[in-house]
Amino acid sequence: MAALWQFPGGIHPTGNKHQSSARAIREAGLPPALILPLHQHIGAPAQTRVEVGDHVLKGDCLADAQGPMGVPVHAPTSGAIEAISLQPVPHPSGLSDWCITLIPDGQDSWGQRHPVSDYQQHERTDILAHIRRAGIVGLGGAGFPTSVKLKPPAQDTITTLILNAAECEPYITADDRLMRERAADIIAGLDIMAWLVRPERCLIGIEDNKPEAIGALEEATRGSLIEVIVIPTRYPSGGEKQLIQILTGREVPHGGIPADIGVICQNVGTAAAVARAIHQGEPLISRITTVTGNAVGTAGNFDVRLGTPVDYLLTCAGAQDKAIQQLIHGGPMMGFTLTNPAVPVVKSTNCIIAAGTGELPGPAEEQPCIRCGACAEACPMELLPQQLFWTSKSGEFDKAEHLNLFDCIECGVCAYVCPSNIPLVQYYRHAKGEVRTRRAEQIKADQARQRFDARQARLERDQAEKEARRKERASAMVARSPLEPDQPENSKAARGAAVREALARKNRTPSSKAGSGDTPATVASPGTGASAAETTAQPPDLADLEKQLAQARNKLNTMAGMLKEAQAGNADNVDKLERAVAKNRERVTRAEQALADARTRVDATPTSTD
């Protein structure tokens, strides 16, 4: 007999499993319409690949997986796509999500299937890809993609593969009936998963309140190395971390996953789905769902197609609408209330409870915490529920994180034992949602800051390149100048001389035409100096120089105004305008110098006499 360990805390609530476990699994049949949400799993929603009006066959892919954690969605039957729209979905928020509405044609015709005849002759990566294409997720309620779970990190060596058959939550018997009737499919799926992860041991953990299922599993595993281990009935022994601790004595570290301690845990329903996907080529298009409660006439378990409306399923179970006081998706401990019975069955729908009058009393009025410590004693994760409650209620979410808020598995044990009727799990869920929202906002802020820093670096790089090109042009101009580059005064004097020479050439009179009355003395002869040319030149046009100076000053004032506005608005072209203002200021200076020189020459010109 295998050694067993115990996990801390836990409770023994009333099971209420006999109402649904006595009847064999029944087919739910085809509803008038199937509503298939694109988001039925942990990870990104699937992306539709069909359009309204398309005719599809059973098993056809309707939406492709998106991202590493995504899985596709398939057609549970043949029919026509009626709509792709927002529809109510099973979620605590009661909000709508994108769904594909499929109208069955009644033929239930299969599309092309791709079974793997001898999976051991294929690459393990190919089998994992096949499981992902089949859309298989954990059917215990979490909805984690199975292909991801069966491919642990490279640094983790898997020594133990555990099949979770505990089904510890009250009312739910879907796994119980599945093990009784389809144990061979479960073991076939376990063999496939064991071949993929190559563990040293394969264990099936099942509570001792399921004797028929225990017998069926023992018969199916006879002659194999698979161990069927019976554990005491105690809630929440079916929690992944709790079952691992019971069977191996190991604890999953804070913030870690079971693979970190060499363990992978899968649900029995998931194992059966893997077997059908590999051996029959069937994607995940249906599941076993418990329908129970005092308002149900014939409680039991149904093989129901995904997308079937809950109200249709309740009709199959003989539920009386007027007798339903509360409708719950999942179990009474970890489930949530459904406000709309038209929501569809999804991959994580393991149970629907139609509670009658007084069966599941509503929450009593919340009272102040009396600090009795009962919640801490019952917590299977050894957390501090009181402190988590206070920090969550007061909005101190950072402190709640430091108290290991995300280690809470939301099993509901703390709220079950609380004498003050405090809905502790609701506070924890709210705090987790706020923390996730803040993390997402922080990620967006970090990305925005990175984009801003990248833009600033690009602008600075462009500016540096422009400045380098400007310096290169300036260096080239200095190199072409006959003056030394380290003599700025000489350079300035040269520019002034060039301006004066240009003005002199402009105002210089041409030589006397032949036959004119002008005397040759008015024309500079070869060999005479520049002074001779200047003394014989006509006076410069002062009006024209004054006009040029006014134009230069007007342009300078305009550019200076544009620069002031750009500086006030922190515009990107401030540097460019500063260079333009400097250039126009130089032009004004040259024009003023030219005008001053011209006036000096006019004053120095002698008055002619007869």
Side-chain angles (χ1 to χ4, degrees):
M1 182 176 179
L4 297 179
W5 287 260
Q6 289 189 352
F7 64 89
I11 57 175
H12 294 85
T14 304
N16 288 316
K17 293 177 178 287
H18 63 280
Q19 295 98 318
S20 59
S21 63
R23 294 183 179 87
I25 297 173
R26 291 172 281 173
E27 290 288 338
L30 275 174
L34 294 168
I35 302 169
L36 299 159
L38 300 178
H39 197 190
Q40 304 183 43
H41 54 275
I42 293 176
Q47 180 68 40
T48 56
R49 62 183 302 177
V50 294
E51 297 180 355
V52 174
D54 288 353
H55 186 272
V56 297
L57 297 176
K58 185 177 181 179
D60 284 355
C61 183
L62 304 181
D64 294 317
Q66 298 294 308
M69 298 289 287
V71 293
V73 176
H74 300 83
T77 187
S78 57
I81 305 299
E82 182 185 57
I84 302 174
S85 59
L86 290 171
Q87 299 280 355
V89 296
H91 192 272
S93 66
L95 298 178
S96 300
D97 204 350
W98 286 101
C99 301
I100 299 174
T101 302
L102 172 63
I103 305 300
D105 59 9
Q107 302 298 316
D108 204 31
S109 302
W110 271 100
Q112 189 173 7
R113 286 178 281 181
H114 303 280
V116 181
S117 57
D118 190 355
Y119 65 86
Q120 294 183 352
Q121 301 302 315
H122 292 73
E123 294 291 334
R124 286 177 169 81
T125 53
D126 294 339
I127 301 301
L128 287 171
H130 190 91
I131 292 173
R132 187 191 188 201
R133 287 194 297 270
I136 299 176
V137 300
L139 298 183
F144 195 90
T146 301
S147 59
V148 176
K149 208 169 187 180
L150 291 174
K151 189 180 180 182
Q155 69 271 17
D156 293 334
T157 301
I158 303 303
T159 60
T160 307
L161 175 60
I162 295 176
L163 208 57
N164 188 344
E167 197 171 46
C168 62
E169 186 156 3
Y171 284 90
I172 307 176
T173 59
D175 289 348
D176 185 6
R177 290 306 314 188
L178 179 66
M179 290 183 285
R180 295 190 202 185
E181 302 180 35
R182 304 176 187 177
D185 291 345
I186 294 172
I187 302 306
L190 178 58
D191 288 339
I192 295 171
M193 293 189 289
W195 176 78
L196 287 170
V197 300
R198 292 167 282 187
E200 298 174 3
R201 301 176 67 197
C202 286
L203 310 178
I204 301 178
I206 183 171
E207 285 189 337
D208 56 12
N209 61 352
K210 304 174 182 64
E212 295 87 350
I214 293 171
L217 290 176
E218 289 177 342
E219 180 63 26
T221 58
R222 194 180 306 278
S224 69
L225 298 178
I226 300 172
E227 303 176 53
V228 178
I229 302 177
V230 181
I231 64 175
T233 299
R234 182 167 56 141
Y235 181 82
S237 61
E240 183 178 60
K241 296 179 179 180
Q242 285 67 43
L243 186 61
I244 291 172
Q245 189 171 357
I246 292 172
L247 297 180
T248 67
R250 308 174 199 168
E251 294 188 31
V252 178
H254 168 67
I257 59 175
D260 296 338
I261 58 173
V263 179
I264 287 180
C265 189
Q266 293 283 3
N267 176 264
V268 290
T270 307
V274 168
R276 289 195 301 273
I278 299 300
H279 296 309
Q280 283 82 41
E282 297 182 10
L284 182 58
I285 56 175
S286 65
R287 65 157 298 142
I288 307 300
T289 299
T290 301
V291 183
T292 185
N294 291 345
V296 174
T298 55
N301 291 278
F302 293 83
D303 193 342
V304 56
R305 299 168 199 261
L306 302 180
T308 299
V310 169
D311 52 6
Y312 174 86
L313 188 58
L314 290 172
T315 302
C316 294
Q320 302 175 5
D321 293 342
K322 295 182 179 179
I324 299 176
Q325 184 184 41
Q326 187 177 10
L327 195 61
I328 297 177
H329 183 280
M333 301 297 293
M334 299 184 68
F336 54 88
T337 300
L338 290 177
T339 57
N340 187 350
V343 299
V345 170
V346 295
K347 296 179 180 181
S348 60
T349 307
N350 57 358
C351 182
I352 298 294
I353 301 176
T357 303
E359 184 177 3
L360 294 175
E365 183 179 357
E366 180 180 336
Q367 301 293 329
C369 174
I370 62 175
R371 309 191 184 200
C372 63
C375 55
E377 293 177 2
C379 179
M381 294 301 298
E382 296 186 289
L383 301 176
L384 298 173
Q386 289 179 355
Q387 282 77 6
L388 285 172
F389 162 63
W390 292 326
T391 54
S392 299
K393 186 175 182 179
S394 62
E396 298 176 288
F397 303 122
D398 292 339
K399 291 183 179 180
E401 277 197 271
H402 293 154
L403 292 169
N404 301 327
L405 169 67
F406 283 91
D407 279 350
C408 171
I409 61 175
E410 302 179 16
C411 63
V413 167
C414 54
Y416 183 86
V417 302
C418 179
S420 296
N421 303 311
I422 301 174
L424 295 169
V425 176
Q426 306 305 322
Y427 284 103
Y428 305 155
R429 285 175 178 168
H430 170 71
K432 288 180 180 180
E434 288 294 324
V435 171
R436 293 190 183 101
T437 300
R438 293 186 180 187
R439 288 177 179 175
E441 292 175 351
Q442 184 61 47
I443 291 173
K444 291 181 179 179
D446 292 341
Q447 292 174 343
R449 184 171 60 254
Q450 291 174 0
R451 292 194 298 269
F452 176 79
D453 292 342
R455 179 178 181 275
Q456 289 298 109
R458 175 176 56 80
L459 293 176
E460 292 175 0
R461 184 172 60 254
D462 293 345
Q463 184 61 33
E465 292 175 355
K466 291 179 181 178
E467 185 66 19
R469 289 194 295 269
R470 187 191 66 78
K471 290 181 178 180
E472 289 177 1
R473 291 193 299 269
S475 300
M477 292 178 62
V478 171
R480 290 194 298 268
S481 175
L483 299 175
E484 294 296 331
D486 56 348
Q487 295 179 350
E489 295 297 331
N490 290 345
S491 178
K492 183 176 180 180
R495 289 196 297 269
V499 170
R500 290 191 294 273
E501 179 65 22
L503 292 173
R505 286 196 300 271
K506 181 178 178 181
N507 297 321
R508 189 175 298 148
T509 57
S511 300
S512 300
K513 294 181 180 180
S516 66
D518 294 335
T519 61
T522 60
V523 181
S525 61
T528 60
S531 59
E534 292 176 357
T535 57
T536 60
Q538 293 182 355
D541 189 349
L542 295 179
D544 184 59
L545 291 177
E546 289 173 348
K547 181 180 179 181
Q548 293 178 9
L549 176 59
Q551 291 175 346
R553 285 174 175 170
N554 289 336
K555 189 171 184 180
L556 174 60
N557 293 334
T558 301
M559 298 305 296
M562 294 173 62
L563 174 60
K564 187 175 181 181
E565 292 178 359
Q567 289 173 336
N570 292 324
D572 294 337
N573 60 343
V574 171
D575 294 341
K576 183 177 180 180
L577 289 173
E578 288 178 345
R579 292 194 294 272
V581 168
K583 185 175 180 181
N584 279 276
R585 189 172 287 116
E586 292 178 359
R587 291 176 178 171
V588 169
T589 302
R590 290 197 298 270
E592 290 175 344
Q593 182 65 40
L595 180 60
D597 293 344
R599 286 172 175 168
T600 301
R601 289 198 301 274
V602 169
D603 294 339
T605 301
T607 304
S608 59
T609 58
D610 293 332

